[in-house]
Amino acid sequence: MWITGASTGIGREIALQLTALGVAVAASARSVEKLNKLEPGVRTYPLDVTDQSAVSATVEQIERDLGPIDLAIMGAGTYTPVAADRFDPTIFKHTMAANYFGVVNCLAAILPRMLKRKGGHIAWIGSVAGYRGLPKAAAYGPSKAALINLAECLKPELDLNGVTVSVINPGFVETPLTAQNDFPMPFLMTAPLAARLTIQGLVRKRFEIAYPLRFVAILKFARVLPYALYFWLLRRTILNA
Ligand SMILES: NC(=O)c1ccc[n+]([C@@H]2O[C@H](COP(=O)([O-])OP(=O)(O)OC[C@H]3O[C@@H](n4cnc5c(N)ncnc54)[C@H](OP(=O)(O)O)[C@@H]3O)[C@@H](O)[C@H]2O)c1
């Protein structure tokens, strides 16, 4: 299996837990130094997912080293909070390039191979932040909403061709990505637990793997609320206005 975003946080934990289960793991991220701190059993393939030709060469190399990739998890991602009065398009471009086009680049490299083999499982990490617009998430939220929509678009056709697709939507998980948050994070969970729930969902070949359940239920309910009520709730809860 191949996983991106494996140097820290959720991706790292998934890589370690799968290795402990005896799975041959190919781990990618940009930081060679952090990848080298993974278990000795993990094969590392340093990579910037925004570089399409590097992604393609990496997939080629992994399949040469380890054989056909049966499971690909795209976990590489970035988050920068955006305030409406400090609107910087470079943040938006950088976020979309890593979170959304990073997955698109990986798909371009791996999908033709899985389609040819008529088998394989491909999964990427979205977020519950992709369900509906949230304050400070103007750059991050759209990238994650796009990833959820991308999975919905591809699933019917991939199903017919024997390829499984999953979208993983975590709530708040304790990782370097959320360490910068200066607000209380409801239902915050640990990265090892997030990894365990992700692996369980992948084993069951679930289309959506979302956790923690209570937070997901609240946000899914918020998703169907009329706009007036949704924005009123955001003002009262998150913005305290
Ligand atoms: N933590 C949460 O609460 C939460 C909630 C929902 C969704 N998520 C999503 O879960 C995924 C993992 O996040 P995390 O919380 O575990 O954060 P993290 O610890 O910051 O991990 C992000 C990973 O992505 C890699 N990465 C970032 N940009 C990359 C690029 N251009 N090319 C290759 N690798 C890149 C990072 O490694 P390098 O810096 O070494 O490249 C790192 O391994 C992300 O997609 C994130 O959006 C997180």
Side-chain angles (χ1 to χ4, degrees):
M1 71 82 55
W2 176 43
I3 180 160
T4 72
S7 63
T8 57
I10 303 170
R12 177 178 181 276
E13 285 300 328
I14 294 172
L16 293 179
Q17 289 185 22
L18 285 177
T19 303
L21 290 170
V23 177
V25 174
S28 290
R30 290 164 304 178
S31 166
V32 179
E33 197 193 330
K34 286 182 195 151
L35 283 175
N36 285 342
K37 287 188 188 145
L38 291 167
E39 298 283 313
V42 183
R43 299 284 289 259
T44 58
Y45 296 84
L47 171 70
D48 185 332
V49 293
T50 64
D51 180 342
Q52 194 185 338
S53 52
V55 172
S56 166
T58 299
V59 167
E60 176 99 42
Q61 186 62 49
I62 293 170
E63 295 215 332
R64 256 204 308 270
D65 294 348
L66 302 175
I69 296 168
D70 53 353
L71 169 65
I73 304 174
M74 275 82 88
T78 183
Y79 164 64
T80 309
V82 169
D85 60 353
R86 267 170 282 139
F87 205 88
D88 178 356
T90 54
I91 296 173
F92 288 71
K93 288 177 190 160
H94 170 72
T95 305
M96 228 26 174
N99 293 7
Y100 181 68
F101 287 106
V103 170
V104 170
N105 288 340
C106 294
L107 279 171
I110 193 94
L111 252 191
R113 292 163 185 270
M114 287 189 175
L115 287 172
K116 200 166 158 204
R117 298 194 282 262
K118 287 210 164 291
H121 189 167
I122 193 151
W124 49 88
I125 307 189
S127 167
V128 296
Y131 289 164
R132 223 169 175 176
L134 291 166
K136 292 192 179 172
Y140 183 75
S143 75
K144 295 299 184 178
L147 286 176
I148 295 170
N149 198 284
L150 177 69
E152 291 170 357
C153 291
L154 290 175
K155 179 182 162 52
E157 217 180 316
L158 293 185
D159 274 349
L160 295 178
N161 287 282
V163 176
T164 305
V165 60
S166 299
V167 60
I168 302 150
N169 291 325
F172 288 111
V173 183
E174 225 175 333
T175 68
L177 183 136
T178 48
Q180 60 183 314
N181 285 343
D182 57 359
F183 54 85
M185 292 179 270
F187 302 97
L188 181 67
M189 66 198 300
T190 64
L193 178 57
R196 202 160 71 237
L197 294 172
T198 300
I199 293 168
Q200 281 170 7
L202 291 170
V203 168
R204 292 180 189 135
K205 295 197 185 294
R206 299 281 304 263
F207 171 66
E208 187 190 17
I209 301 164
Y211 48 77
L213 282 183
R214 272 201 298 162
F215 193 38
V216 170
I218 292 166
L219 292 173
K220 287 214 171 184
F221 176 66
R223 188 159 68 163
V224 297
L225 290 177
Y227 276 129
L229 186 51
Y230 178 66
F231 292 131
W232 179 83
L233 272 172
L234 282 187
R235 261 198 314 274
R236 296 301 295 266
T237 54
I238 298 181
L239 299 178
N240 288 320

